[in-house]
Amino acid sequence: MTVLGPGGCQNIDSISVKTVALPTADAGNDTLHICEDTFVNLGASGGVSYQWSSASQLSDATIADPLATTDDITTFYVTVTNALGCVAVDSVVVIAQEAYEFLQMDTTICAGDTAVLDVPIPPSAVGFIWTPNTNLSANNIANPTTYATSNTIYTLTYEDELGCIGQVAVSLNINPVPNAGSDVQICANGSAQLNASAGGLTYAWSPTESLSQANIRNPIATPTQTTTYTVTVTYANGLESCSQTDF
């Protein structure tokens, strides 16, 4: 710059203006996935001070690496400032995986039978624990076989690749072995009422001769000689039935 003073005197001075590059704002990975109701650590770099948006979802909106949470999808923007006051902006999207629904199921088998605990689980499930760990072929697989002899409630806790947890409860009901009742003695030309154990869907007695009805739980028997009656009891079992016999 040249300055002319009185009398034509001249003076010269100069100033240097240096252009400084903007800071490189880096908010880390562009997208992060978390489980619902959990937190993830964000991480920004490139400056001396930081200001994040959506402060209500952060542990501290003024640090480089706050904890963030969301119940859906949130884009967090970070403004990075360097020592000269220059600013730059970057962002990261945090996506929350919806919590798994707790499921309850019922399975019924006949006493002495086995059952595969086949339950719906997400394809991303990678870890499995069944409790209680009794009468199971294994407790750390998705679909073990149970050898339970009494009614049992099994609970599967599974974990997916993100570490999100889900549960399924299976109520296993055991249909009992039927009881045809105690042996009885009658006089010639007499009769006796047979009494099978209750709880069956259908009853079938044999031989059918000398019975008042062969398809009820407690028919009247009037045999003319010593006779062994056998009862087959069918129990409801989901879409099919199972039968057990006693005599």
Side-chain angles (χ1 to χ4, degrees):
M1 179 176 66
T2 302
V3 179
L4 293 176
C9 296
Q10 178 176 302
N11 196 8
I12 299 175
D13 197 7
S14 64
I15 183 171
S16 175
V17 178
K18 183 179 180 180
T19 302
V20 179
L22 294 175
T24 301
D26 185 2
N29 293 333
D30 292 337
T31 305
L32 298 173
H33 295 267
I34 64 172
C35 305
E36 191 172 77
D37 298 324
T38 62
F39 293 86
V40 65
N41 206 188
L42 304 183
S45 61
V48 296
S49 67
Y50 303 88
Q51 182 63 55
W52 292 87
S53 65
S54 304
S56 63
Q57 296 171 266
L58 298 171
S59 59
D60 188 337
T62 63
I63 62 176
D65 54 352
L67 292 174
T69 188
T70 181
D71 57 6
D72 191 13
I73 301 175
T74 300
T75 300
F76 294 92
Y77 295 91
V78 60
T79 300
V80 178
T81 304
N82 66 12
L84 296 175
C86 302
V87 299
V89 178
D90 196 15
S91 64
V92 57
V93 178
V94 178
I95 302 173
Q97 178 174 286
E98 186 178 354
Y100 294 116
E101 180 183 0
F102 177 73
L103 300 177
Q104 291 181 290
M105 304 177 63
D106 292 303
T107 298
T108 302
I109 63 174
C110 291
D113 287 350
T114 63
V116 175
L117 299 178
D118 188 10
V119 298
I121 53 175
S124 58
V126 293
F128 312 94
I129 291 293
W130 286 91
T131 55
N133 183 19
T134 54
N135 298 307
L136 291 175
S137 58
N139 79 320
N140 59 351
I141 61 176
N143 306 118
T145 298
T146 175
Y147 309 94
T149 57
S150 60
N151 294 349
T152 305
I153 297 177
Y154 288 104
T155 300
L156 168 64
T157 301
Y158 58 85
E159 182 176 352
D160 68 14
E161 295 170 340
L162 283 176
C164 305
I165 300 296
Q167 285 190 320
V168 181
V170 180
S171 180
L172 180 70
N173 303 301
I174 309 295
N175 284 331
V177 174
N179 189 335
S182 302
D183 294 342
V184 296
Q185 291 182 329
I186 61 174
C187 299
N189 300 320
S191 64
Q193 185 170 43
L194 307 182
N195 284 286
S197 51
L201 184 67
T202 64
Y203 295 83
W205 290 88
S206 65
T208 59
E209 297 80 6
S210 70
L211 290 177
S212 59
Q213 286 181 268
N215 59 355
I216 62 174
R217 185 171 71 89
N218 49 1
I220 302 297
T222 55
T224 58
Q225 59 184 357
T226 300
T227 304
T228 298
Y229 293 97
T230 300
V231 62
T232 299
V233 181
T234 302
Y235 297 95
N237 182 21
L239 299 178
E240 53 183 315
S241 296
C242 54
S243 298
Q244 298 279 3
T245 300
D246 189 28
F247 57 85

